[in-house]
């Protein structure tokens, strides 16, 4: 019986060590990673690429892909063979694995039609990401990539970020659910600093923590181009959350930010409030479930008193109670030029004082929607209208 242990991505322990050594040999430079990765693949698939350069059209691409699958012992994905000139290639949930990714990467370099590449949940791991990175680097057509839920880890993040930095045409990237931690954050920070063409980035459902926030914050401050960032469902809290919020204050491009389901707490909420005082571009901010109490809500409100751009603010599922909601609403009332269109306090219990203030604020801002968890109140009002005060259920 063999003593080889299979890793979580279907690789042997020996292969995992080889992969780590190959990446480590790049001396920490993202550009070096690409060069090392490209050199290591040259011998194995150069003949496949040469074959692809001798002809154009779908037939050549299909032939190249089938030969690649044979070379890497991968099962061909039938939908790729039916791709033709379609602009989107959807291969999510196909179980490609690293070998399937290597076969696909060789064929992608000869396909000039694909604009959106969806490889969500394919168990690519770092090895599969390394293979795809070279194709992404060379592609002149792909501009939208979804690599979510592929167990990329730091190794995958490193090579993918390097590829993205080398291809300014890619403007939308999804890396959700890839076990990205603080080690991956340094590569993401470099990406934010270098890739001015990147407009949309999804980093949700990862494990980016305090240290990651301290790296990403300064990068966000210097970023020039990103307009939509989703970093919800991570572990940003403490000094990392504060640093990230400060980066928001200095950013001049971001329009939509989702930091829901982190741990910003009151210090982070205060830092976000301070950022809203200086940020004059952000239009949509999601802060649900961030352990923000009434104290943090009042600090957040200070930014709303003078902000002139925020249209949507979602602070649902925070323990700020009526006191915090009142503070936020009073700040909005005190800003005669507030552009707010939606204030979402869902799943926060509010009292009659809040309801009265909300009614008066809507008179001042008729276009503002104030969302609360008021289903029970509305239901009782309907019963009163039907049964009368004496007979309505308690």
């Amino acid at each position: 019986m063999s003593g080889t242990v299979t890793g979580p991505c279907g690789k042997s322990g020996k292969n995992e060590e080889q992969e780590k050594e190959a990446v480590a040999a790049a001396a920490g430079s993202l550009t070096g990673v690409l060069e090392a990765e490209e050199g290591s693949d040259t011998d194995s698939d150069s003949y496949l690429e040469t074959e692809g350069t001798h002809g154009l059209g779908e037939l050549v691409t299909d032939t190249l892909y089938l030969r690649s699958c044979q070379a890497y012992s991968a099962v061909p994905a039938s939908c790729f063979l039916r791709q033709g000139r379609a602009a989107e290639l959807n291969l999510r949930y196909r179980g490609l694995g690293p070998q399937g990714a290597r076969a696909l990467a060789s064929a992608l370099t000869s396909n000039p039609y694909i604009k959106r590449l969806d490889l969500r949940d394919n168990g690519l791991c770092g090895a599969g990401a390394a293979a795809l990175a070279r194709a992404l680097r060379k592609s002149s057509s792909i501009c939208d990539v979804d690599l979510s839920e592929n167990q990329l880890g730091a190794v995958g993040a490193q090579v993918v970020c390097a590829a993205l930095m080398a291809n300014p045409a890619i403007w939308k990237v999804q890396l959700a659910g890839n076990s990205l931690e603080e080690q991956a954050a340094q590569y993401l920070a470099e990406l934010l600093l270098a890739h001015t063409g990147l407009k949309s980035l999804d980093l949700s459902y990862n494990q980016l923590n305090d240290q990651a926030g301290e790296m990403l914050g300064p990068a966000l401050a210097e970023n020039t181009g990103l307009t939509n960032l989703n970093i919800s469902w991570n572990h940003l809290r403490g000094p990392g959350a504060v640093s990230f919020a400060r980066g928001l204050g200095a950013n001049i491009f971001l329009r939509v930010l989702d930091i829901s389901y982190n741990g910003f707490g009151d210090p982070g909420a205060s830092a976000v409030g301070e950022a809203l005082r200086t940020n004059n571009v952000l239009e949509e901010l999601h802060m649900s479930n961030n352990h923000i109490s009434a104290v943090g809500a009042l600090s957040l409100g200070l930014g709303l008193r003078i902000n002139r751009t925020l249209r949507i603010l979602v602070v649902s599922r925070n323990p700020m109670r009526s006191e915090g909601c009142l503070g936020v609403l009073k700040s909005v009332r005190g800003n005669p030029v507030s552009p707010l269109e939606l204030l979402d306090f869902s799943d926060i219990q509010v009292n009659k004082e809040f309801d009265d203030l909300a009614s008066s604020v809507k008179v001042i801002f008729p276009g503002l929607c104030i969302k609360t968890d008021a289903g029970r109140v509305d239901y009782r009002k309907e019963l009163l209208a039907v049964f009368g005060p004496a007979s309505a259920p308690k």
Side-chain angles (χ1 to χ4, degrees):
M1 179 180 293
S2 173
T4 302
V5 178
T6 301
C9 291
K11 301 176 293 185
S12 68
K14 181 179 179 180
N15 286 340
E16 287 179 341
E17 290 303 318
Q18 290 175 343
E19 178 182 314
K20 291 178 181 178
E21 289 173 3
V23 174
S29 166
L30 290 184
T31 303
V33 172
L34 272 177
E35 293 172 350
E37 189 275 327
E38 183 171 359
S40 66
D41 280 354
T42 300
D43 293 338
S44 63
D45 64 7
S46 60
Y47 84 93
L48 294 172
E49 291 188 1
T50 302
E51 178 76 17
T53 59
H54 289 308
L56 297 173
E58 299 85 79
L59 181 60
V60 172
T61 300
D62 290 351
T63 301
L64 177 59
Y65 177 56
L66 290 172
R67 290 190 179 184
S68 298
C69 289
Q70 183 178 14
Y72 295 114
S73 301
V75 177
S78 59
C79 59
F80 181 78
L81 298 174
R82 298 192 300 266
Q83 179 70 13
R85 300 190 178 191
E88 178 177 358
L89 175 59
N90 187 337
L91 290 176
R92 56 170 55 190
Y93 315 130
R94 297 280 175 168
L96 295 179
Q99 292 298 90
R102 290 186 176 103
L104 179 64
S106 296
L108 285 175
T109 57
S110 66
N111 188 311
Y113 308 114
I114 298 173
K115 297 183 181 297
R116 184 173 193 275
L117 178 63
D118 188 344
L119 296 177
R120 177 183 289 263
D121 195 5
N122 269 286
L124 301 181
C125 307
L132 285 167
R134 193 154 67 93
L136 292 176
R137 183 191 188 196
K138 293 181 175 182
S139 175
S140 60
S141 61
I142 297 175
C143 57
D144 181 350
V145 183
D146 188 348
L147 296 177
S148 300
E149 302 173 28
N150 273 297
Q151 307 171 54
L152 298 185
V155 171
Q158 188 174 17
V159 292
V160 168
C161 286
L164 296 174
M165 288 165 58
N167 190 341
I170 299 177
W171 65 271
K172 183 177 181 180
V173 178
Q174 293 171 260
L175 297 174
N178 271 303
S179 302
L180 305 183
E181 301 177 343
E182 61 183 276
Q183 185 179 352
Q186 65 183 14
Y187 310 126
L188 295 169
E190 290 185 41
L191 176 65
L192 290 176
L193 289 171
H195 196 327
T196 58
L198 187 62
K199 303 300 180 186
S200 178
L201 179 61
D202 184 355
L203 299 174
S204 61
Y205 293 93
N206 282 294
Q207 288 88 48
L208 298 171
N209 58 12
D210 299 5
Q211 291 75 22
E214 291 178 347
M215 286 183 272
L216 293 174
L220 182 63
E222 298 295 327
N223 175 264
T224 55
L226 195 68
T227 59
N228 190 318
L229 174 61
N230 184 350
I231 197 166
S232 63
W233 292 91
N234 275 276
H235 306 310
L236 298 178
R237 53 176 63 94
V242 172
S243 177
F244 187 86
R246 287 174 179 164
L248 172 64
N251 184 277
I252 58 172
F253 283 87
L254 202 62
R255 297 290 190 273
V256 179
L257 174 63
D258 191 342
I259 53 175
S260 301
Y261 291 87
N262 277 279
F264 270 60
D266 292 340
S270 178
V272 171
E274 189 64 31
L276 292 177
R277 294 171 65 90
T278 56
N279 184 291
N280 60 359
V281 291
L282 191 68
E283 299 178 2
E284 189 171 330
L285 176 60
H286 297 258
M287 298 184 66
S288 298
N289 211 331
N290 262 290
H291 308 295
I292 301 171
S293 73
V295 174
L298 294 174
S299 298
L300 178 64
L302 296 178
L304 296 175
R305 284 185 180 273
I306 60 175
N307 184 274
R308 292 170 174 261
T309 60
L310 195 66
R311 297 184 301 103
I312 296 173
L313 175 62
V314 181
V315 290
S316 60
R317 299 182 180 88
N318 280 294
M320 60 180 63
R321 308 187 310 278
S322 275
E323 180 186 353
C325 296
L326 276 167
V328 170
L329 204 51
K330 287 178 180 178
S331 295
V332 174
R333 183 183 62 180
N335 183 353
V337 295
S338 174
L340 272 172
E341 299 172 6
L342 172 64
L343 261 176
D344 191 344
F345 296 109
S346 296
D347 294 321
I348 303 175
Q349 192 171 16
V350 295
N351 55 24
K352 186 177 184 302
E353 183 181 0
F354 176 88
D355 289 337
D356 293 341
L357 178 60
S359 297
S360 65
V361 169
K362 286 181 180 180
V363 173
I364 303 172
F365 302 106
L368 174 61
C369 173
I370 302 173
K371 187 177 180 181
T372 62
D373 191 16
R376 180 184 59 81
V377 176
D378 292 342
Y379 177 64
R380 178 161 176 79
K381 287 179 180 178
E382 292 175 5
L383 290 177
L384 287 172
V386 175
F387 297 106
S391 56
K394 300 298 183 185

